[in-house]
Amino acid sequence: MDNEISTQPHGMEDVEIQEWLESLDSVLESSGPEVAAEILERLRAHATVNGIDLPFSANTPYANTIPVRLQPLFPGDQELERRIKSLIRWNALAMVVRANRVEHNIGGHISTYASAATLYEVGFNHFFRARSDEFEGDTVYFQGHASPGMYARAFLEGRLSAQKLENFRRELKPGGGLSSYPHPWLMPDFWEFPTVSMGLSPLMAIYQARYNRYLEDRGLKPATDAKVWAFLGDGETDEPESLGAITLASREKLDNLIFVINCNLQRLDGPVRGNGQIIQELESAFRGARWNVIKVLWGSEWDPIFERDTEGLLVKRMGELVDGEYQKLVVSSGAYVREHFFGSDPRLLQLVEPLPDEALRRLRLGGHDPRKVYAAYKAAVDHKGSPTVILARTIKGYGLGEAGEGKNVTHQQKKLNEDELREFRSRFGIPLNDEDCIEVPFYRPPDDSIEIQYLRARREALGGYVPKRSIRAKPLVADHDELFKEFLEGSEGREVSTTMAFVGMLRKMLKDAEIGKLVVPIVPDEARTFGMESLFRTAGIYSSVGQKYEPVDVNTLLYYKEAKDGQILEEGITEAGSMGSFIASGTAYATHGINTIPFFIYYSMFGFQRIADFIWAAADMRTRGFMLGGTSGRTTLSGEGLQHQDGNSQILALPVPNIKAYDPAFAYEIAVIIQDGIRRMYKDGENVFYYITVMNEPYAMPAMPGNVKDGILRGMYRFRPATNAKAKLRAQLFGSGAILNEALRAQEILETKYSVAADVWSVTSYKELYNDGVETERWNRLHPAEKPRVPYVSKCLADAPGVLVAASDYLKTLPNMISKWMPRRLASLGTDGFGRSEGRTSLRDFFEVDSRFITLATLHELFVEGKIERSILDKAIKDLGINTDKPNPVIS
Ligand SMILES: Cc1ncc(C[n+]2csc(CCOP(=O)(O)OP(=O)(O)O)c2C)c(N)n1
Ligand SMILES: [Mg+2]
């Protein structure tokens, strides 16, 4: 390992090394650590100048970062806190064991919390400040699998009943229960942040901390010293998202951010780095990213041993072991530890000679020692200028003994036998006798007990209970009719894309008296793609340091203006990070009591497809706001090809229950959707958010044809009826987004060339129509005695004559999923398959979604129904120039 301290390089005498070490000690004593560091730095520079090739290392030795002499006094009653913690340990274990007794395999985790209990308890008793009217409070991301510990604490606090605990993981039982993991959707008064999909919460926490600063710099909230704490597993750090944004945190000097990584050296299957050292690996990654790194490796019991070790042998030995060996030591006897750890050098053995084997076995790790943890937390909250990460060593399944402490199987341990329960009870001093304890009852001392009194007093001192979620923002009041009015009127022949139309609305919203300040445009390095550069100058790009340089384009109208109070979050090429900002912004109504309204616009293919799990977390968190999938439509985005052309996202939006997905064609449709969205989310407080696809194909935007608002919002309305409603041959054409224009062109071809009179419908949301149909069916099933309800699609088409043809720039399955509520069979055209780098005309021919193919599909349906001769079809294929031997786009 590169953190080794070599004690005898190249025959150097011990005494020489000793002299160097002693002189450093004396500098340290006489002049302090800063001078000592300065000397070392100078020595390093001197060595480099003299050609000494010093190996690069971002590591410090395998030792506690905070030396004993700088360790603050522990301010709490340590013994009492230990007893409280023991009770929480017991109840957390009881929840899981009981749940699995009632229902085999219901699951739950014991060992994660068992290893992290001290890390949380020191936080709860001394650091986590609650939200209140006066203070925004600290924000805590709890590790998902540690949830039983949070529930068990809330039980002691009197916030959760025994019945709720009894129904852990069975929230559908009478009286309710507790969700397996932190889910604001399921426990909206308790959890704030879903963390169990590993790797999401570290990134979300970083962007949360950054968003807090953004709100301050924009004057939307006062500056405070509130912290964002994120508790992670060491295994979790292998998720690319976990460390993917750490340089943003240091670049932004987010000293309001603290990561606590519970380094129990284990993940689910086994060791995180059996053959390496995860702590050292993480240290170098975070130090390299300029974080303040605090290692909490060894408990106080080690302090006197270190003190005796004047030669640095112990630190050296500690740096030698790989994690697999450490894990083995944890489960071994004191004699084994003596032989295998200290036995490598007689001088090490001498250090521990006075200690009996039992004491060696009980040498605690830093993450289990409240004094060490307190010291680290204190240093972290006091640290200025960069984020802090605490790497705390613990044992997975701490206290489970034979039932799993430190064992590879411990993560999945949900059942304990009688002996194991009794042992756990005794180890943590739970006042239950041998008989009672095997029933694993929940145990809470009376309200007037010293434990409960202490615990409550501590929380009172810190402002109340954590976690707790509440909606603190007041609803908006304005109706915004004026704001959106102009967009209902059409572009008077001017060709604009829906993206341009949206940007126009955004520009206007930014100036609005009520929502102007609250709008948060978020874009991952695509503002120019979407024609948003005009906003750079007017709204400004947020930068915590303002603009330290004269921008190269300063003489142009639309120069790249960064400002401390800039409103746009230009996130760079990170859709995940942008989503982190979207979530922080869209949940500020709860976290901060501020109704910020995020508009996150991005390349649609890099949204649901790439960061769907963040979107899922946003949904869980009841995030509000608008996501805009830009340059969408597989045949509408020309030239970009297979990777960029999106025919998927409207499908991928289907599984997210509370996202409303729209594929509008015209500016007025977007205006209606956004205006209504603001009302629903920010006035009526609905827990929905929006996905709107916008395109870059320019065309004239029509005025809204009468009041079709209801139809736009519900998913479809008749945009242009046939001129000759009495015609013999009839059809209904359904189009969405830019493809609606193809349907309109087909309408003309059909009428002029084939005497088919078609109505054209704009389908703004297949998802809305689908949900309505499914819900109607369900209601009818559950209420057979009542008059059956009719799906909206069926109502719309009840009197609509003729064949039915849909064309979409997304997969054919989108229209198909509502076809069963249509009066007749539906022919669907869509863009299944890989895109091509081509122009729109060729793409729409290739995917068979242009006006020609809509015409052909309509004629074919009429032919199938026996309404026209085949010869008409044959002629149409010729006249329309359709190559019947063309490759199948789905598989080519
Ligand atoms: C994205 C994701 N992948 C896999 C899992 C399944 N999983 C749950 S816990 C766990 C191991 C956790 O190990 P670690 O992060 O070290 O946490 P510990 O329990 O050891 O504190 C795994 C793989 C998950 N929850 N999320
Ligand atoms: Mg772990």
Side-chain angles (χ1 to χ4, degrees):
M1 299 300 297
D2 54 5
N3 62 311
E4 284 181 17
I5 296 178
S6 185
T7 48
Q8 277 186 305
H10 311 298
M12 198 177 182
E13 293 298 326
D14 278 357
V15 58
E16 253 180 281
I17 289 182
Q18 202 54 41
E19 277 171 15
W20 278 89
L21 291 176
E22 276 168 16
S23 47
L24 187 66
D25 283 348
S26 92
V27 172
L28 203 53
E29 207 161 294
S30 59
S31 313
E34 271 159 33
V35 176
E38 167 79 23
I39 290 175
L40 287 173
E41 207 42 59
R42 296 269 281 274
L43 270 178
R44 173 178 274 278
H46 193 69
T48 310
V49 169
N50 286 287
I52 300 172
D53 188 14
L54 288 173
F56 168 78
S57 172
N59 278 122
T60 63
Y62 203 82
N64 290 345
T65 305
I66 301 173
V68 182
R69 63 188 167 76
L70 294 181
Q71 201 174 297
L73 231 59
F74 186 78
D77 182 329
Q78 220 182 311
E79 174 49 24
L80 203 46
E81 289 189 21
R82 193 189 64 78
R83 267 164 42 207
I84 294 167
K85 183 168 62 190
S86 297
L87 294 173
I88 297 174
R89 285 180 185 284
W90 173 262
N91 288 309
L93 171 134
M95 284 175 67
V96 179
V97 174
R98 289 179 73 86
N100 283 280
R101 279 187 185 176
V102 181
E103 208 168 319
H104 181 61
N105 268 342
I106 195 107
H109 298 86
I110 300 170
S111 63
T112 299
Y113 180 72
S115 75
T118 301
L119 301 178
Y120 286 114
E121 278 306 290
V122 172
F124 278 120
N125 285 322
H126 303 284
F127 291 94
F128 306 156
R129 293 162 298 176
R131 307 197 192 290
S132 69
D133 291 341
E134 295 77 46
F135 177 60
E136 66 179 291
D138 295 324
T139 302
V140 189
Y141 291 73
F142 296 98
Q143 203 185 335
H145 296 79
S147 63
M150 310 314 134
Y151 293 140
R153 174 166 246 275
F155 169 63
L156 288 196
E157 289 167 346
R159 296 202 290 151
L160 291 177
S161 65
Q163 192 197 10
K164 286 255 159 123
L165 263 62
E166 185 73 19
N167 287 339
F168 173 54
R169 290 188 166 226
R170 296 183 302 147
E171 58 266 65
L172 301 178
K173 293 290 166 293
L178 301 172
S179 62
S180 50
Y181 302 117
H183 292 300
W185 190 263
L186 301 177
M187 295 177 66
D189 302 327
F190 193 84
W191 294 118
E192 293 181 291
F193 307 103
T195 50
V196 80
S197 177
M198 310 200 116
L200 302 192
S201 81
L203 184 139
M204 292 195 294
I206 290 172
Y207 280 86
Q208 178 73 57
R210 197 293 210 89
Y211 193 72
N212 294 357
R213 289 278 162 81
Y214 168 88
L215 290 176
E216 288 168 9
D217 287 338
R218 287 201 45 226
L220 290 174
K221 80 171 185 67
T224 71
D225 69 346
K227 304 287 180 197
V228 175
W229 296 78
F231 287 78
L232 331 177
D234 48 358
E236 180 173 13
T237 60
D238 279 338
E239 288 288 357
E241 294 90 345
S242 296
L243 304 190
I246 60 174
T247 52
L248 172 96
S250 45
R251 194 162 62 245
E252 290 293 311
K253 301 189 171 46
L254 298 179
D255 52 20
N256 57 342
L257 176 66
I258 300 165
F259 274 12
V260 181
I261 306 185
N262 178 18
C263 297
N264 51 30
L265 315 187
Q266 287 177 246
R267 51 191 179 203
L268 193 153
D269 285 339
V272 179
R273 293 286 183 278
N275 294 312
Q277 295 178 324
I278 184 65
I279 290 178
Q280 297 301 87
E281 189 179 319
L282 289 173
E283 176 185 44
S284 59
F286 279 97
R287 272 169 65 97
R290 289 177 294 122
W291 281 52
N292 174 38
V293 180
I294 302 175
K295 291 195 286 196
V296 185
L297 308 187
W298 312 110
S300 304
E301 293 80 358
W302 287 91
D303 289 341
I305 310 178
F306 276 109
E307 190 138 330
R308 284 200 290 280
D309 175 34
T310 49
E311 296 172 82
L313 291 170
L314 190 51
V315 171
K316 177 176 179 291
R317 177 71 183 131
M318 282 166 165
E320 283 168 0
L321 263 57
V322 292
D323 288 355
E325 291 173 296
Y326 270 125
Q327 193 187 346
K328 180 87 189 292
L329 285 177
V330 159
V331 299
S332 301
S333 67
Y336 183 95
V337 174
R338 191 185 304 276
E339 187 188 338
H340 289 88
F341 180 75
F342 295 98
S344 66
D345 185 323
R347 291 169 296 178
L348 279 175
L349 272 178
Q350 219 174 356
L351 286 177
V352 288
E353 206 177 16
L355 299 177
D357 284 353
E358 185 51 22
L360 288 191
R361 205 176 68 79
R362 290 201 168 275
L363 285 172
R364 250 188 317 178
L365 298 180
H368 295 299
D369 183 342
R371 281 171 291 181
K372 300 289 183 196
V373 174
Y374 179 85
Y377 287 6
K378 180 86 175 65
V381 297
D382 291 345
H383 178 75
K384 294 275 179 288
S386 65
T388 292
V389 58
I390 292 163
L391 302 171
R393 254 206 77 178
T394 63
I395 296 171
K396 189 144 178 168
Y398 184 73
L400 289 182
E402 280 306 303
E405 189 168 75
K407 294 185 178 167
N408 280 336
V409 295
T410 192
H411 190 83
Q412 306 289 57
Q413 181 59 279
K414 305 168 197 319
K415 293 171 188 162
L416 276 73
N417 66 31
E418 295 183 2
D419 284 344
E420 290 161 351
L421 281 170
R422 287 194 191 105
E423 194 187 314
F424 190 91
R425 179 265 340 245
S426 305
R427 175 159 179 182
F428 293 108
I430 310 299
L432 292 170
N433 64 32
D434 277 4
E435 223 166 280
D436 292 345
C437 109
I438 58 173
E439 296 301 323
V440 226
F442 297 122
Y443 179 79
R444 183 175 187 271
D447 270 348
D448 58 1
S449 65
I450 165 166
E451 289 90 350
I452 299 293
Q453 295 285 322
Y454 181 90
L455 169 143
R456 285 191 163 157
R458 288 311 309 145
R459 286 314 315 165
E460 224 161 275
L462 291 161
Y465 293 117
V466 174
K468 184 168 177 284
R469 183 183 179 278
S470 62
I471 296 172
R472 289 137 38 91
K474 302 261 176 303
L476 297 182
V477 290
D479 59 21
H480 310 115
D481 279 345
E482 259 325 292
L483 201 171
F484 290 99
K485 206 168 120 229
E486 75 173 81
F487 302 101
L488 307 183
E489 286 160 8
S491 64
E492 289 167 352
R494 202 165 53 90
E495 296 200 330
V496 291
S497 66
T498 47
T499 305
M500 285 164 77
F502 162 71
V503 173
M505 280 172 229
L506 184 61
R507 191 177 299 120
K508 196 145 183 227
M509 283 188 276
L510 284 162
K511 292 192 189 123
D512 183 79
E514 187 185 44
I515 61 171
K517 266 181 122 53
L518 301 173
V519 167
V520 180
I522 303 170
V523 63
D525 198 31
E526 295 288 356
R528 293 180 200 281
T529 312
F530 305 132
M532 286 168 67
E533 61 269 45
S534 63
L535 301 179
F536 285 169
R537 172 109 179 243
T538 48
I541 296 163
Y542 172 68
S543 155
S544 58
V545 293
Q547 192 155 36
K548 294 178 171 178
Y549 60 97
E550 184 177 280
V552 65
D553 50 2
V554 72
N555 295 325
T556 64
L557 196 63
L558 309 176
Y559 74 90
Y560 197 84
K561 180 184 156 199
E562 300 195 61
K564 192 157 176 157
D565 62 352
Q567 198 156 351
I568 301 170
L569 288 172
E570 156 65 84
E571 299 294 21
I573 310 170
T574 167
E575 283 75 15
S578 305
M579 195 62 202
S581 285
F582 178 79
I583 291 171
S585 179
T587 52
Y589 70 93
T591 330
H592 292 292
I594 304 169
N595 277 319
T596 43
I597 310 172
F599 287 87
F600 168 28
I601 183 162
Y602 56 91
Y603 234 124
S604 73
M605 199 62 161
F606 305 125
F608 279 90
Q609 182 131 322
R610 188 172 179 121
I611 52 161
D613 210 17
F614 280 107
I615 298 173
W616 187 254
D620 187 346
M621 283 169 80
R622 298 160 180 261
T623 305
R624 296 173 184 168
F626 297 89
M627 296 171 59
L628 293 116
T631 57
S632 184
R634 184 156 279 150
T635 67
T636 304
L637 173 62
S638 54
E640 291 288 343
L642 178 154
Q643 182 58 71
H644 292 65
Q645 289 165 350
D646 173 27
N648 307 351
S649 65
Q650 288 289 346
I651 304 283
L652 299 176
L654 292 173
V656 183
N658 51 344
I659 203 161
K660 294 189 153 285
Y662 285 94
D663 184 14
F666 300 130
Y668 67 82
E669 294 179 352
I670 302 178
V672 167
I673 294 162
I674 291 182
Q675 184 184 1
D676 190 63
I678 291 174
R679 176 189 64 76
R680 293 179 78 146
M681 295 184 286
Y682 293 95
K683 282 176 85 174
D684 299 349
E686 277 188 53
N687 292 304
V688 292
F689 62 128
Y690 283 72
Y691 178 57
I692 304 172
T693 40
V694 286
M695 278 73 64
N696 67 352
E697 181 175 352
Y699 43 84
M701 292 292 156
M704 187 162 78
N707 191 354
V708 291
K709 286 185 181 175
D710 186 55
I712 294 172
L713 297 172
R714 296 182 75 175
M716 70 188 283
Y717 66 97
R718 197 185 330 243
F719 172 72
R720 196 164 81 190
T723 43
N724 177 14
K726 300 242 159 54
K728 228 166 73 208
L729 299 175
R730 292 297 320 261
Q732 305 296 320
L733 308 182
F734 309 97
S736 318
I739 297 298
L740 181 59
N741 287 318
E742 298 291 342
L744 291 168
R745 278 193 278 278
Q747 182 187 38
E748 279 165 30
I749 301 171
L750 283 163
E751 184 160 340
T752 52
K753 297 249 168 73
Y754 303 96
S755 305
V756 179
D759 295 345
V760 175
W761 298 75
S762 175
V763 181
T764 48
S765 175
Y766 281 105
K767 186 176 182 190
E768 284 296 301
L769 298 176
Y770 175 74
N771 283 346
D772 170 78
V774 167
E775 170 49 19
T776 310
E777 273 185 355
R778 173 181 174 274
W779 193 90
N780 290 343
R781 191 160 50 240
L782 296 177
H783 305 88
E786 316 247 356
K787 183 167 168 249
R789 291 180 179 173
V790 180
Y792 177 68
V793 179
S794 314
K795 271 192 220 158
C796 287
L797 300 179
D799 303 319
V803 295
L804 311 176
V805 176
S808 155
D809 227 358
Y810 294 85
L811 306 194
K812 297 177 187 77
T813 192
L814 205 57
N816 281 346
M817 69 187 188
I818 61 160
S819 65
K820 67 170 167 168
W821 299 298
M822 292 186 164
R824 290 169 297 285
R825 62 176 237 136
L826 174 72
S828 292
L829 305 178
T831 58
D832 307 47
F834 284 126
R836 291 288 189 283
S837 339
E838 260 294 356
R840 279 183 201 118
T841 310
S842 302
L843 286 169
R844 287 180 185 163
D845 172 54
F846 177 72
F847 282 105
E848 302 163 15
V849 292
D850 62 13
S851 56
R852 294 144 62 239
F853 278 94
I854 298 173
T855 303
L856 177 62
T858 309
L859 294 176
H860 185 258
E861 290 302 297
L862 288 166
F863 165 69
V864 170
E865 296 219 332
K867 299 259 164 64
I868 60 172
E869 298 293 319
R870 219 205 61 206
S871 58
I872 298 181
L873 266 187
D874 293 342
K875 185 169 176 320
I877 289 175
K878 222 168 117 218
D879 290 350
L880 295 165
I882 288 171
N883 172 9
T884 52
D885 293 326
K886 70 189 278 300
N888 178 357
V890 180
I891 50 164
S892 59

